[in-house]
Amino acid sequence: MLSWSGIDFSALEIACYLCERRNLVPFNFRVTHESSTTRARLGCIQTTHGVIETPVFMPVGTQATVKTVAPHELEQLGVEIILSNTYHLYLRPGNDIVDEAGGLHKFMGWGHPILTDSGGFQVFSLGPLRTISEEGVQFRSHLDGSKHFISPEKSMEIQMDLGADIIMAFDECAPYPAERDYVQKSKDLTTRWAKRCHEAHTRTADQALFGIVQGGMYKDLRRQSALELMELDFPGYGIGGLSVGEPKDIMYEVLDDLIPIMPKDKPRYLMGVGSPDCLVEGVLRGVDMFDCVWPTRLARHGMVLTRQGNMAIRNLPFARDFTPIEEDCSCYACQNFSRGYIRHLLKANEVLGIRLTTLHNIAFLTRLMKEIREAISDDRLVEYSRDFLGIFAREK
Ligand SMILES: [Zn+2]
């Protein structure tokens, strides 16, 4: 129990107290240990809502909730930061409502750090429903077809209302494959938009704005993008436009080429990447932060993560399997239930089924990241990675 002026507070109460009184902690990142044989490093991000140890995986809470999991359960799993989606919260319930509620942390009952994306990726995924111009993107809502316009300035306004600890610049994510000419124009537009975001972002006391490196699979464009953004001196950098359908080896080549020129003293965030093998490979190349909907979405489709790879727990062979998903996992699902029971819940469309698979998948990744951090600290990441990747069944 922590004590202040003779009054006892739990850590959570102190977090809320800081939030209420706006006793703001400036964003800070420091590297605490560098691997001697790889580009991996240990780091620590400080925010008003708490400290994040890196490398870190951030579960995604698209609609201001990590689907089926309550905030206190995320805390129990050791989650230090979650991601939420600007596009979805802008459309529903509306950033004005979240602002009125006191910001996203209060609205969703999560006192720890939050990162919001810029809305760019979702808007570009709308395909024929959107039109891009220099000014911004016009699009129709996927919910009701209503017309909307998001510019870099609008994205900043929405994200300042939501009040996440880390927010992202509005960027254009080129598809894969794409012609060089298209990717070059898209990268140039992303740089111009990054400058506009940088100017429009005024909530700097308790919010850090990260730039996003684009440039598709063209290494020289990636390097140009990074150098252009570094002139704006963002407190951190996202690497966007990867894991968009390209083979994993191409993604790794891009990272190998790009990361050495990125600032050492700023966090590097590989966006939309979250399969266990990619987390290990990304950390080896110097990535500090990851997010992906995939592990939790997979869970809702009855797929669980194990050391050997993904396991389709809905399949018949598990009907009479009364062992846990993983013997050595300390999550609530593995400590209390069998594969056979979880399969039964999923087959019967019981909500508890997808809650249990989601809890396990988040626990799996949280534990993986913890093991990776320990391996970096002990200078044995190469051995750890070799052992892990040797067993884990990779998808190309
Ligand atoms: Zn488990």
Side-chain angles (χ1 to χ4, degrees), residues 305 324-326 328-335 356 359-361 363-364 367:
L305 299 172
I325 299 170
E326 285 197 298
D328 62 346
C329 177
S330 62
C331 87
Y332 178 69
C334 292
Q335 287 298 306
L356 295 176
L359 286 172
H360 171 77
N361 282 1
F364 181 92
R367 181 164 66 143

Side-chain angles (χ1 to χ4, degrees), residues 88-99 107 158 161-162:
H88 290 280
L89 299 178
Y90 157 71
L91 288 179
R92 183 176 59 192
N95 44 298
D96 53 333
I97 290 182
V98 176
D99 186 29
F107 185 55
I158 301 168
D161 278 353
L162 296 175

Side-chain angles (χ1 to χ4, degrees), residues 380-392:
R380 53 175 176 81
L381 183 64
V382 173
E383 294 80 355
Y384 177 85
S385 306
R386 196 176 50 219
D387 293 347
F388 181 85
L389 296 171
I391 299 170
F392 190 82

Side-chain angles (χ1 to χ4, degrees), residues 186-256:
S186 165
K187 184 273 292 173
D188 292 345
L189 183 66
T190 293
T191 299
R192 292 195 295 276
W193 283 359
K195 285 180 187 156
R196 285 166 56 187
C197 287
H198 192 259
E199 275 169 29
H201 181 238
T202 51
R203 185 172 175 169
T204 50
D206 65 343
Q207 202 172 51
L209 167 66
F210 283 19
I212 303 179
V213 177
Q214 290 289 351
M217 308 306 150
Y218 301 96
K219 291 176 189 169
D220 58 329
L221 296 182
R222 284 271 167 195
R223 286 197 294 268
Q224 277 176 27
S225 173
L227 294 173
E228 286 161 6
L229 295 175
M230 279 153 61
E231 281 179 24
L232 296 169
D233 196 26
F234 286 104
Y237 294 88
I239 304 168
L242 289 177
S243 194
V244 289
E246 78 282 8
K248 287 181 179 177
D249 287 342
I250 292 187
M251 175 171 84
Y252 300 146
E253 279 176 31
V254 169
L255 293 176
D256 280 333

Side-chain angles (χ1 to χ4, degrees), residues 319-370:
R320 288 187 167 77
D321 186 338
F322 305 115
T323 62
I325 299 170
E326 285 197 298
E327 290 285 354
D328 62 346
C329 177
S330 62
C331 87
Y332 178 69
C334 292
Q335 287 298 306
N336 294 282
F337 307 99
S338 68
R339 295 172 175 184
Y341 177 65
I342 295 172
R343 174 185 183 270
H344 155 70
L345 292 176
L346 293 169
K347 296 295 278 183
N349 287 325
E350 285 292 340
V351 175
L352 183 60
I354 57 171
R355 266 177 49 67
L356 295 176
T357 51
T358 304
L359 286 172
H360 171 77
N361 282 1
I362 295 173
F364 181 92
L365 293 179
T366 308
R367 181 164 66 143
L368 173 64
M369 297 315 287
K370 188 165 182 275

Side-chain angles (χ1 to χ4, degrees), residues 41 55 239 255 259 268-270 282-283 285-290:
R41 68 256 189 94
I239 304 168
L255 293 176
I259 289 185
R268 307 151 180 165
Y269 161 31
L270 180 55
V283 170
R285 288 166 172 80
V287 176
D288 306 301
M289 304 165 73
F290 304 84

Side-chain angles (χ1 to χ4, degrees), residues 3-21:
S3 174
W4 178 74
S5 290
I7 305 163
D8 284 328
F9 290 98
S10 70
L12 191 64
E13 277 167 345
I14 285 189
C16 291
Y17 172 83
L18 290 174
C19 192
E20 299 263 331
R21 295 290 181 92

